Amino acid sequence: MKAAFYTLGCKVNQYETEYMSELLKNAGFEIVSADDDADYYIVNSCTVTATADQKTRQNIRKFKRKHPNAAVILTGCMPQAFPDDARSLTEADIIFSNKNDGDILRLINEYNQKKSRIIYINEHKTGDKFSNCSITDFNDRIRAFVKIEDGCDRFCSYCIIPKSRGRVRSKNPESLEKEVEALAGNSVKEIVLVGINLSAYGNGEDFNIVDAVKICAATSGIERVRLGSLEPDHITDKMIIELSKIEKFCPQFHLSLQSGCDKTLRNMNRHYTCEEYKSLCDKLRSTFVDASITTDVMVGFHDESNEDFKESLDFVKSVKFEKVHVFPYSNRPGTAASKRGDSVPKHIKEKRAAVMIEETEKIRKEYLKTLIGRQTEVLFENEISKGVYQGYTKTYLPVRIKSSENLIGQLLTVKIKDYCDEFCIAE
C-alpha cells in the first residue's frame, strides 16, 4: 500500500507528518510523493489564515479528482478548529483531528473494513497530556524538527490556535532524550526544537526550554541545537545567560513581534510593549556574538490607522531585523478580533505590506553586504544541483558552495564571497 502526505503550515505540522509517516512505514506502507500514484492521500492542514483553509480545500478536491479510487484523508488544525467546515468536504473519506495523529493506522484499517466515511474529531480539553509522539528520522535529512510543546494559553485576539491546539503541554525530558538519541543514530546533526508556543515549554513543570537545549547538546552526534519561534515575554535574563553557555546552541532568535505599535499590540492582546521587545533584542545582541533576530509583522489589523502603521514601520526599521516575514491581517471566525469586524480595506493592507516588505528587504540586504569576506561555519544539508551544495550558518543563513566532494553532513568553515536575495555564495 502507498501513502502520500501533503503538509501545510508550520514546523509542528511538518513534525507531525513525519510522526504519522513513520507509523505507516512501520506497518508496511510505502511513502511516496504527493505527485505520485498512491492508495491514500493525507492532507495535514493549517488553519492560521483563510488562505490556508482555501489551500486545504483545493488539495482535498484535487487529490479526489485526480485519484478517484484512492482514499483522501484530512487531518491537522482545520478539522480541529472548524469541524463543521471539515465535514462539509465530502471529498475527504477520513477526517480526524490533530489530537488523534497516533490513530491514523487504526482509522485506515477501520475504513478498509467498513468502506464508509469516517469522521473522528475530539476536542482539546484543559488538563490534556502531551501526546506520546516521537520520531527516529526526518525524511533522511541532516536537520530535524522535534516537537516538545503543544498548545497555547495566550489568546491573542486575532488567533485561532488555542482552539485548534488546546492548552500548553510539554514533552517530558526523558522522552526527548530518547528521541534525540534515535535521531542522532540516523545521521541527524542538527535539532530544531519546535512547539506551538515553544517558550512556554515546561510551564507548570520543573523543567524549561534551557533544559531541552542542554539535553540535545549533550547527545553524541548532534552538532547544533536551534529554537523555533519564540514569544518575547517568556524569555528571561536567566535563560539568556544559560543559553549563552551552551556551545552547540545557535544564536538565531525568531521573536514574534506582530506590530511595532503599542496601541495595536494592546488590541491584539499581546503581552509586551515595543520598549520591552527592543530591550530583549538589545540583550540578545549584547550577549551572543553575531546573534540573528528575525520576526513576523502583521499589517492592517483591525483599527490600524496610517499613524499606527507608520509607528510600526519605524519601530521595525529601528530594530534592524535580519529578516522579516510580513503578512496582512486575515479575519478568523471564532476569534475575539472577528467580533470587531475587519476595518482596514484589502487594498490598504496590501499597500502597507508592500511598503513594509520593501523597507525590511533594504535592511536585510545591508546586513548581507556586511558578511562579504567573513568566515563562518556551515553545516551542509543537501545538493541543490550538480556539484552545488547548500547548508546553513548558526544564524540560519543559507549558504551555497561549489564542490567536487560530497559535502552533505559536513560542518565546514567557509568564506562568504557574495549574496543574492535568497542565499550567500561562499568558497
Side-chain angles (χ1 to χ4, degrees):
M1 303 293 278
K2 296 180 180 180
F5 284 86
Y6 186 88
T7 306
L8 294 156
C10 65
K11 294 179 176 67
V12 171
N13 265 20
Q14 293 176 52
Y15 172 92
E16 290 168 347
T17 287
E18 183 61 34
Y19 169 57
M20 290 185 284
S21 176
E22 284 199 18
L23 291 176
L24 295 186
K25 281 190 285 189
N26 291 339
F29 283 70
E30 179 185 354
I31 306 301
V32 299
S33 167
D35 295 325
D36 296 336
D37 289 330
D39 302 291
Y40 303 92
Y41 290 90
I42 302 108
V43 176
N44 192 359
S45 64
C46 169
T47 195
V48 168
T49 64
T51 300
D53 284 349
Q54 182 182 20
K55 289 180 180 179
T56 293
R57 291 191 293 269
Q58 288 173 343
N59 281 282
I60 289 289
R61 290 164 180 159
K62 179 188 74 174
F63 289 131
K64 180 54 75 174
R65 183 177 66 252
K66 292 180 67 175
H67 310 279
N69 296 322
V72 177
I73 301 173
L74 171 61
T75 184
C77 289
M78 183 202 178
Q80 193 78 58
F82 302 108
D84 290 340
D85 290 348
R87 289 187 183 95
S88 70
L89 280 168
T90 55
E91 295 87 352
D93 301 293
I94 303 173
I95 299 173
F96 64 95
S97 54
N98 57 31
K99 187 176 181 179
N100 301 105
D101 290 340
D103 292 312
I104 184 169
L105 182 61
R106 178 182 67 79
L107 293 171
I108 287 176
N109 288 336
E110 183 180 334
Y111 174 78
N112 289 335
Q113 291 173 0
K114 294 183 176 180
K115 299 299 181 184
S116 60
R117 194 179 196 216
I118 294 175
I119 299 176
Y120 186 61
I121 300 174
N122 288 336
E123 290 185 9
H124 289 295
K125 297 179 181 177
T126 301
D128 281 347
K129 300 298 182 183
F130 190 88
S131 62
N132 185 27
C133 58
S134 66
I135 59 174
T136 61
D137 198 1
F138 202 78
N139 202 22
D140 297 325
R141 296 179 188 174
I142 298 298
R143 174 165 42 98
F145 303 148
V146 175
K147 185 178 85 169
I148 61 171
E149 186 276 340
D150 207 343
C152 186
D153 300 338
R154 309 292 288 181
F155 295 97
C156 298
S157 64
Y158 54 83
C159 187
I160 198 68
I161 291 301
K163 186 175 179 181
S164 65
R165 285 287 178 174
R167 305 290 81 79
V168 169
R169 49 207 187 276
S170 304
K171 178 174 287 182
N172 69 62
E174 293 77 17
S175 297
L176 173 61
E177 184 175 9
K178 291 178 182 177
E179 185 171 18
V180 175
E181 286 175 353
L183 287 164
N186 281 321
S187 301
V188 169
K189 294 184 180 294
E190 179 175 308
I191 299 295
V192 185
L193 297 172
V194 300
I196 297 302
N197 185 358
L198 179 62
S199 41
Y201 175 73
N203 275 10
E205 308 281 357
D206 60 355
F207 51 83
N208 62 28
I209 193 68
V210 176
D211 297 308
V213 173
K214 287 180 178 178
I215 287 170
C216 298
T219 303
S220 178
I222 299 301
E223 301 282 355
R224 289 178 173 177
V225 188
R226 196 181 298 278
L227 297 176
S229 182
L230 300 165
E231 288 294 323
D233 54 312
H234 278 169
I235 304 171
T236 65
D237 291 350
K238 183 180 179 182
M239 283 182 179
I240 294 172
I241 293 169
E242 290 183 358
L243 288 172
S244 71
K245 296 175 183 177
I246 303 173
E247 186 177 351
K248 294 180 180 179
F249 176 69
C250 296
Q252 177 236 337
F253 301 92
H254 189 84
L255 304 175
S256 185
L257 172 63
Q258 304 304 349
S259 176
C261 169
D262 282 336
K263 186 196 93 174
T264 305
L265 289 174
R266 289 192 297 272
N267 286 341
M268 291 176 167
N269 195 34
R270 301 292 286 173
H271 300 271
Y272 50 84
T273 65
C274 291
E275 182 181 351
E276 290 166 342
Y277 186 100
K278 180 66 162 58
S279 175
L280 174 60
C281 293
D282 292 342
K283 288 176 186 176
L284 292 171
R285 284 176 168 152
S286 64
T287 303
F288 296 90
V289 177
D290 297 328
S292 171
I293 302 177
T294 59
T295 197
D296 303 305
V297 175
M298 184 191 299
V299 298
F301 185 66
H302 174 76
D303 208 27
E304 182 188 66
S305 67
N306 288 330
E307 292 74 20
D308 297 335
F309 170 70
K310 185 179 184 304
E311 184 178 331
S312 183
L313 177 63
D314 289 343
F315 179 79
V316 170
K317 289 165 67 175
S318 74
V319 176
K320 294 187 180 296
F321 294 100
E322 277 70 22
K323 190 172 185 179
V324 181
H325 173 227
V326 181
F327 58 102
Y329 168 61
S330 171
N331 185 33
R332 302 303 289 134
T335 65
S338 69
K339 298 173 184 176
R340 306 177 202 164
D342 192 357
S343 61
V344 182
K346 182 180 178 182
H347 72 278
I348 293 180
K349 292 180 188 177
E350 291 174 347
K351 182 178 179 180
R352 289 177 184 173
V355 171
M356 184 73 75
I357 291 170
E358 181 181 3
E359 293 300 318
T360 56
E361 281 299 312
K362 288 178 185 176
I363 295 169
R364 178 166 175 78
K365 287 178 180 178
E366 289 173 6
Y367 160 66
L368 293 174
K369 193 181 296 184
T370 67
L371 300 177
I372 295 177
R374 293 180 60 177
Q375 292 189 351
T376 186
E377 272 194 338
V378 175
L379 178 58
F380 287 94
E381 297 187 6
N382 53 359
E383 188 176 15
I384 296 296
S385 59
K386 182 70 173 178
V388 178
Y389 293 86
Q390 178 167 288
Y392 291 85
T393 66
K394 270 195 165 186
T395 55
Y396 201 58
L397 185 71
V399 175
R400 293 184 184 181
I401 193 170
K402 290 183 178 180
S403 175
S404 57
E405 177 189 354
N406 184 352
L407 301 183
I408 297 175
Q410 294 195 48
L411 185 64
L412 300 173
T413 299
V414 304
K415 185 177 181 179
I416 304 297
K417 294 194 305 178
D418 203 353
Y419 69 92
C420 66
D421 289 343
E422 298 298 325
F423 56 88
C424 285
I425 301 164
E427 61 183 7

